Amino acid sequence: MKVLVTIKRVVDYNVKVRVKPDNSGVDLANVKMSLNPFCEIAVEEAVRLKEKGVASEVVVVSVGPATAQEQLRTALALGADRAILVETADQLNSLAVAKVVKAVVDKEQPQLVILGKQAIDSDNNQTGQMLAALTGYAQGTFASKVEVAGNTLSVTREIDGGLQTVSLNLPAIVTTDLRLNEPRYASLPNIMKAKKKPLESITPDALGVSQTCTNKTLKVEAPAARSAGIKVKSVAELVEKLKNEAKVI
């Protein structure tokens, strides 16, 4: 069984982002970039399936600039077999990315596609669901447990009321939740081996996919500074402030 995993290059979660002076976006100059944490979980799950003998090949794909090769090499060091970079300098929205990945799915014909449920930069939580709609594959979102039995996939997923287990026929699409697994660290020998693993670079045009984006960013602003808290001397004073100042009761 071939498993396809999508990954995204994002600003490292430890970095405090800055907005550009012209409010056109986030300043990425000299900022540390990393593999999206949810994508790390997706890669880890695919590698575990391979270690169990369920998957025969793990292919990672990313849509983005040439610098995303760094994150693809990281995924290869974590255990993926080969990588595909769909190189574009454009800022694509979720639907455009889903269309590009759909073209890669048509080309590679994987039995299972695993995506992080969302990226920490945009937090859209859309691409996996859109990809399922475009491909017509069954989907299991927010997965906290994945089990494969023959041509059937059992996915335990996080929902508001608790846990729900769904049975999917392969091919299928899964998006990962935080509780699915704990990603491993790449060892130095595997980092060295990853440099020799195949990494194919193609363009959306070569896949026959339009890069037209339907979204336009008008303005990006930093969050408003949080006002300092205050101390009250009694419950009555607290209620009075909640009622008359905060107006929440």
Side-chain angles (χ1 to χ4, degrees):
M1 179 175 76
K2 181 189 293 187
V3 180
L4 183 75
V5 182
T6 65
I7 66 171
K8 187 178 182 181
R9 175 184 171 89
V10 298
V11 176
D12 189 87
Y13 66 91
N14 288 312
V15 173
K16 185 177 180 179
V17 297
R18 302 182 305 273
V19 176
K20 292 180 179 179
D22 61 358
N23 295 108
S24 61
V26 174
D27 187 1
L28 300 180
N30 302 316
V31 171
K32 181 183 178 183
M33 307 294 286
S34 299
L35 182 61
N36 179 50
F38 287 100
C39 297
E40 280 191 86
I41 295 171
V43 173
E44 174 66 24
E45 192 64 23
V47 172
R48 290 188 184 189
L49 289 174
K50 184 182 176 184
E51 291 173 344
K52 293 176 182 177
V54 175
S56 57
E57 184 182 27
V58 177
V59 183
V60 289
V61 58
S62 185
V63 182
T67 48
Q69 291 187 29
E70 178 186 354
Q71 282 64 48
L72 286 170
R73 291 294 180 192
T74 299
L76 292 173
L78 292 173
D81 297 298
R82 59 187 176 91
I84 300 172
L85 172 62
V86 183
E87 189 173 340
T88 175
D90 296 336
Q91 293 291 328
L92 303 182
N93 63 8
S94 301
L95 180 57
V97 171
K99 289 180 178 179
V100 171
V101 177
K102 195 263 184 183
V104 176
V105 169
D106 291 341
K107 178 174 177 283
E108 292 290 331
Q109 292 295 306
Q111 285 71 53
L112 177 61
V113 183
I114 308 179
L115 308 89
K117 71 172 184 178
Q118 64 196 70
I120 62 172
D121 54 358
S122 59
D123 275 335
N124 285 330
N125 181 21
Q126 295 174 330
T127 306
Q129 292 88 329
M130 290 176 171
L131 180 61
L134 292 171
T135 58
Y137 288 2
Q139 62 175 313
T141 55
F142 318 130
S144 60
K145 186 178 180 182
V146 174
E147 294 179 327
V148 180
N151 292 322
T152 304
L153 187 70
S154 176
V155 178
T156 301
R157 54 191 302 269
E158 305 273 349
I159 60 174
D160 291 340
L163 299 175
Q164 178 189 58
T165 301
V166 294
S167 180
L168 312 175
N169 292 324
L170 296 175
I173 290 171
V174 171
T175 68
T176 63
D177 204 348
L178 284 172
R179 282 164 285 279
L180 180 58
N181 60 55
E182 184 175 344
R184 68 192 69 188
Y185 290 100
S187 65
L188 182 58
N190 286 338
I191 292 174
M192 301 305 293
K193 291 177 183 177
K195 296 179 179 180
K196 298 181 179 180
K197 290 184 178 181
L199 194 159
E200 178 187 2
S201 183
I202 55 178
T203 64
D205 291 338
L207 293 171
V209 180
S210 171
Q211 300 180 59
T212 303
C213 185
T214 56
N215 292 354
K216 181 180 179 181
T217 300
L218 301 179
K219 190 177 183 181
V220 176
E221 294 180 324
R226 186 174 180 178
S227 58
I230 60 172
K231 293 183 178 180
V232 295
K233 296 180 179 179
S234 65
V235 174
E237 185 182 353
L238 172 62
V239 172
E240 187 274 330
K241 288 187 178 295
L242 290 174
K243 184 177 180 179
N244 299 322
E245 293 184 20
K247 299 186 185 300
V248 295
I249 58 174

